[in-house]
């Protein structure tokens, strides 16, 4: 649990206190979920009174924005420091950011999963700052790899940054050096998967057309939760999207939370169907089964927003809406990917010269799924004409299959 870095009563300079509050809040948001943490919780963990927090931040939302901005600023500072060195390469950039991500994964994890809580103005500021970093990285990648188009370089930069953002808040027993080395190997594989070279795959089946009004409501709510965020959508919004009044929605679902339960149930079913289908196509070959799982996962991300919503609205909201079964299914689903990759590797990863043990498989699967989920949540990427083909291509590359 997050605790104060200095004892209560210790006087800190304003900048130091702000930094402490941001660090403490980051830990609490990740441990408990943003919605479960109050300003009083942050004050208690920092060893100060609640009113003292307000001398530095006007509200919890501003603390969250400061925590996220710290991740973007640190990445920008790291980028500038690396590029100040003569002859700095894209690999130098990614290695430095991976080191940052492995040693302090909290701020990046917070940015990935809690952007929906920012105000529109805060989100615009954050996007503007991150665009500057993305532009610098893309420019270096184009210089190092002139064979890449501008479009390929930009998408690959997004993918490599997603690899860096895949480090969980807790690395378990995997050491910093090991984690960083594996991320670097994964990034090199991803950089060889230019989107323009993605093989053409059969188009994923379209999302099933709604048969009854409840299906229509779930479809509309899923799209709204994805585009606006769960908390910003009302029952009136959902009703308007299907041509009925807000109160009429209650004739089909008793609450907004129950609608989310329906979306979560569909997402869980999609994962389970994918597992069964992949096993039937593999003929006992673990990598063939994993490839089939990648394709079914990508198809679900492309054809429906259900998975993106279920994995974006926040763990605490999903649990409150009865989604514990989805979280359990997700955990088992990820474990299946890990087991298949480890079983199919024959213990050999030529690039690193090390055995692909369970830890290595977990790192690779984490990076691959982060690419898939981050790309699916990013509208400018999701709307690309060959998004499904490109997504499968990049995920396969991250896994090394």
């Amino acid at each position: 649990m997050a605790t104060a870095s200095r004892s209560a009563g210790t006087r800190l300079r304003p900048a130091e206190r702000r930094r402490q509050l941001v660090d403490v809040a980051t830990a609490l948001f990740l441990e408990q979920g943003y919605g479960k943490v109050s300003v009083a919780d942050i004050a208690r963990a920092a060893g100060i009174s609640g009113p003292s927090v307000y001398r530095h931040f006007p509200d919890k939302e501003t603390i969250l924005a400061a925590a996220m901005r710290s991740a973007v600023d640190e990445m920008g500072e790291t980028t500038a420091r690396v590029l100040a060195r003569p002859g700095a390469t894209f690999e130098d950039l990614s290695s430095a950011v991976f080191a940052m991500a492995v040693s302090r994964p909290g701020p990046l994890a917070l940015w990935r999963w809690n952007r929906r809580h920012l105000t529109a103005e805060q989100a615009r500021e954050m996007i503007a700052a991150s665009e500057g970093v993305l532009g610098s990285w893309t420019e270096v990648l184009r210089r190092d790899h002139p064979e890449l188009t501008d479009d390929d370089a930009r998408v690959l930069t997004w993918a490599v940054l997603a690899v860096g953002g895949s480090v969980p808040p807790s690395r378990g027993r995997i050491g910093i050096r090991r984690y960083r080395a594996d991320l670097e190997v994964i990034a090199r594989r991803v950089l060889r998967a230019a989107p323009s070279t993605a093989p053409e795959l059969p188009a994923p089946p379209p999302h099933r057309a709604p048969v009854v009004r409840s299906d229509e409501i779930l479809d509309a709510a899923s799209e709204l939760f994805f585009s606006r965020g769960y908390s910003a959508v009302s029952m009136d919004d959902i009703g308007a999207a299907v041509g009925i009044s807000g109160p009429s929605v209650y004739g089909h679902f008793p609450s907004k939370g129950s609608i989310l339960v329906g979306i979560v149930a569909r997402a869980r079913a999609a994962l389970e169907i994918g597992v069964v289908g992949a096993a039937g196509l593999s003929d006992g070959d673990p990598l063939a089964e994993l490839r089939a799982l990648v394709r079914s996962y990508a198809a679900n991300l492309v054809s429906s927003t259900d998975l993106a919503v279920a994995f974006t609205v926040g763990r605490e909201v999903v649990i409150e809406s009865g989604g514990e079964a989805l979280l359990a299914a997700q955990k088992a689903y990820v474990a299946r990917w890990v087991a298949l990759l480890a079983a199919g590797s024959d213990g050999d990863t030529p690039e690193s010269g090390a055995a692909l043990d369970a830890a290595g498989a977990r790192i690779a699967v984490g990076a691959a799924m982060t690419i898939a989920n981050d790309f699916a949540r990013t509208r400018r990427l999701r709307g690309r004409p060959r998004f499904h083909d490109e997504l499968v291509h990049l995920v396969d590359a991250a896994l090394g299959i």
Side-chain angles (χ1 to χ4, degrees):
M1 181 174 175
T3 56
S5 59
R6 300 192 190 186
S7 61
T10 300
R11 294 186 63 85
L12 299 179
R13 294 178 178 177
E16 292 176 321
R17 181 66 77 189
R18 283 177 61 89
R19 179 72 262 173
Q20 181 211 24
L21 290 171
V22 165
D23 289 344
V24 166
T26 296
L28 287 173
F29 293 154
L30 290 171
E31 288 171 7
Q32 301 177 26
Y34 175 78
K36 294 288 189 181
V37 177
S38 66
V39 170
D41 295 327
I42 296 170
R44 190 178 306 112
I48 61 176
S49 67
S52 296
V53 175
Y54 292 106
R55 297 193 190 113
H56 304 277
F57 297 99
D59 49 41
K60 187 176 73 167
E61 290 76 13
T62 308
I63 300 175
L64 175 67
M68 291 187 183
R69 185 59 190 256
S70 73
V72 176
D73 288 347
E74 186 174 0
M75 189 176 297
E77 292 163 4
T78 300
T79 298
R81 186 169 60 251
V82 171
L83 293 182
R85 302 199 300 256
T89 65
F90 187 86
E91 189 165 339
D92 294 331
L93 274 177
S94 58
S95 180
V97 169
F98 291 166
M100 179 192 88
V102 173
S103 61
R104 290 187 66 241
L108 284 176
L110 201 67
W111 164 243
R112 288 187 59 236
W113 293 108
N114 291 274
R115 285 174 282 182
R116 66 191 180 280
H117 297 299
L118 297 176
T119 66
E121 182 180 354
Q122 289 168 339
R124 283 193 295 270
E125 291 175 356
M126 214 71 67
I127 290 171
S130 60
E131 282 288 339
V133 175
L134 181 66
S136 296
W137 281 53
T138 302
E139 184 179 338
V140 174
L141 183 57
R142 282 282 286 124
R143 187 194 66 201
D144 291 355
H145 295 274
E147 74 279 5
L148 294 174
T149 66
D150 288 341
D151 182 67
D152 278 346
R154 190 170 181 82
V155 175
L156 288 175
T157 297
W158 274 95
V160 171
L161 288 172
V163 171
S166 69
V167 184
S170 174
R171 290 178 282 100
R173 297 183 178 180
I174 305 176
I176 288 178
R177 289 186 180 180
R178 165 68 189 279
Y179 217 118
R180 178 179 173 182
D182 279 25
L183 292 181
E184 290 173 353
V185 170
I186 294 166
R188 286 197 291 271
R189 291 200 298 258
V190 167
L191 288 177
R192 293 197 294 269
S196 61
T197 66
E200 185 172 351
L201 300 172
H207 180 60
R208 178 179 57 84
V211 177
V212 295
R213 178 69 80 180
S214 58
D215 289 336
E216 190 178 0
I217 290 171
L218 289 177
D219 287 349
S222 182
E223 291 288 345
L224 288 170
F225 293 161
F226 174 75
S227 61
R228 300 186 195 175
Y230 176 78
S231 61
V233 176
S234 68
M235 292 293 264
D236 286 340
D237 295 328
I238 297 169
V242 296
I244 61 176
S245 67
S248 296
V249 177
Y250 289 101
H252 303 274
F253 295 94
S255 66
K256 189 172 74 168
S258 67
I259 295 176
L260 179 61
V261 169
I263 294 170
V264 163
R266 298 199 309 190
R268 176 188 173 195
L271 293 182
E272 293 171 346
I273 291 170
V275 169
V276 173
L281 294 171
S282 67
D283 197 26
D285 180 347
L287 290 188
E289 183 174 344
L290 182 56
R291 290 188 190 96
L293 277 176
V294 169
R295 280 144 187 77
S296 71
Y297 191 68
N300 277 307
L301 286 173
V302 169
S303 63
S304 169
T305 53
D306 286 356
L307 278 174
V309 167
F311 296 150
T312 302
V313 294
R315 180 184 178 89
E316 70 276 11
V317 176
V318 170
I319 290 175
E320 287 178 359
S321 299
E324 298 94 335
L326 172 69
L327 297 176
Q330 182 191 19
K331 184 176 181 181
Y333 186 75
V334 172
R336 185 64 179 164
W337 281 43
V338 171
L340 291 170
L341 182 59
S345 70
D346 294 325
D348 182 35
T349 52
E351 285 187 86
S352 63
L356 183 64
D357 55 10
R362 283 199 301 274
I363 294 170
V365 168
M369 285 195 157
T370 299
I371 291 173
N373 295 333
D374 280 8
F375 274 44
R377 292 201 306 268
T378 304
R379 293 180 186 84
R380 72 179 66 182
L381 297 174
R382 188 184 181 91
R384 292 170 63 82
R386 299 189 64 225
F387 177 64
H388 174 252
D389 297 347
E390 295 169 351
L391 191 62
V392 170
H393 193 45
L394 289 167
V395 171
D396 280 353
L399 294 171
I401 61 175

